[in-house]
Amino acid sequence: MRIRYASAIARTVLVIVIGAAACCATRPGSLPTAVPTGEWRYALTINGTPAGSSRYSNAIVGPHYRSIVEITMTLGDAVNTSRSEITETLDHVPVRLETSTTVVKNGAKHVSATTATFAGRTVTLTTDGKTSKYTLSRDFILEGNFIVAKLIEGRFRPGLAIETAIYDPGYELDMPIPVRVAVVGEARMRIGATEKRLIHITESIENVKNIDVYLDEHGVMEKTVIQMMNMTLELIRE
């Protein structure tokens, strides 16, 4: 598989992990009133074969949330490590987004880094030392804690849907991309040797529409299934 495909997969998974992992400390039965903080780790498989791992953390630092997700995945002879750090205010106003991608193939290493800062709809973007500025046509969020805050507010009730637009230069430099998250309801699924009663959430990001997230009775994410590029990617909490 070509490197750009590996990077595209890693970028999509990176965005999904932020949204999905943020849900996993919530406990629907106890009706949490605050966005969860902590750290979570996941194994990544592609078509049932181990392909990498992911680490997600969310913390309150002064007047901001700081969310960090890192994914390392192997596709063929390429190892791709993608990292994203999001800084937003406690009421989810975008402040800063830092992303990096490192690809190692046949002993050669390629690193690309991007930093975006925000002032209203204006984005100042620096990629590998080159700076540009864009004014977006609509309001947007970062894929930080806004969605999980809305799910908590709605108590994860079946039928609840959150529609918004996120900014991520890995998709588009000068426009936000549509995101929709919906609570389907209860599902039963076998995880390992155990059948569990889970909460089923769906997510769509731009043209990636087949994303299913499953939470256990405590709100902990057990599994995420992503269908893209004729492949099935799964994230399983370790």
Side-chain angles (χ1 to χ4, degrees):
M1 178 170 291
R2 289 172 289 182
I3 288 176
R4 70 172 183 270
Y5 285 173
S7 297
I9 293 169
R11 185 73 220 145
T12 300
V13 175
L14 196 71
V15 172
I16 293 166
V17 168
I18 294 176
C23 298
C24 52
T26 64
R27 293 177 179 268
S30 62
L31 302 180
T33 58
V35 170
T37 57
E39 181 173 310
W40 303 272
R41 294 178 182 271
Y42 297 89
L44 171 67
T45 67
I46 298 178
N47 294 335
T49 301
S53 62
S54 174
R55 179 181 64 87
Y56 172 79
S57 66
N58 191 45
I60 295 176
V61 181
H64 299 133
Y65 285 114
R66 180 184 296 163
S67 305
I68 300 173
V69 61
E70 184 173 289
I71 291 177
T72 299
M73 60 190 303
T74 301
L75 288 171
D77 55 0
V79 178
N80 184 305
T81 300
S82 296
R83 185 181 189 275
S84 178
E85 180 173 333
I86 290 172
T87 303
E88 61 181 336
T89 66
L90 297 182
D91 56 352
H92 315 298
V93 175
V95 176
R96 185 180 180 90
L97 170 64
E98 299 175 69
T99 65
S100 65
T101 300
T102 302
V103 178
V104 179
K105 182 177 181 180
N106 298 328
K109 182 178 181 180
H110 175 74
V111 180
S112 179
T114 297
T115 299
T117 56
F118 305 92
R121 294 183 180 180
T122 300
V123 181
T124 301
L125 197 65
T126 301
T127 300
D128 299 333
K130 298 179 180 180
T131 299
S132 53
K133 186 171 289 190
Y134 302 94
T135 299
L136 278 60
S137 60
R138 59 171 294 181
D139 293 336
F140 59 92
I141 62 168
L142 300 178
E143 184 67 2
N145 291 292
F146 174 84
I147 292 174
V148 68
K150 289 298 183 182
L151 289 172
I152 292 171
E153 182 181 304
R155 302 187 178 189
F156 290 88
R157 69 178 182 274
L160 175 65
I162 311 297
E163 295 187 6
T164 186
I166 67 170
Y167 179 75
D168 188 316
Y171 284 95
E172 298 286 350
L173 297 177
D174 59 355
M175 66 178 66
I177 57 174
V179 173
R180 186 179 192 273
V181 175
V183 181
V184 177
E186 189 176 290
R188 289 187 177 273
M189 176 177 290
R190 184 170 296 277
I191 304 294
T194 305
E195 184 175 279
K196 296 186 176 183
R197 186 175 65 181
L198 305 174
I199 302 168
H200 183 193
I201 294 174
T202 63
E203 183 174 355
S204 63
I205 300 173
E206 200 179 40
N207 61 338
V208 183
K209 301 184 182 300
N210 297 315
I211 305 166
D212 294 278
V213 180
Y214 298 92
L215 314 177
D216 72 7
E217 69 272 18
H218 304 296
V220 176
M221 190 182 84
E222 291 280 349
K223 189 174 185 178
T224 292
V225 182
I226 309 160
Q227 301 286 344
M228 65 177 296
M229 296 182 183
N230 298 316
M231 291 182 295
T232 300
L233 294 84
E234 296 184 354
L235 290 162
I236 302 171
R237 188 169 184 255
E238 295 182 327

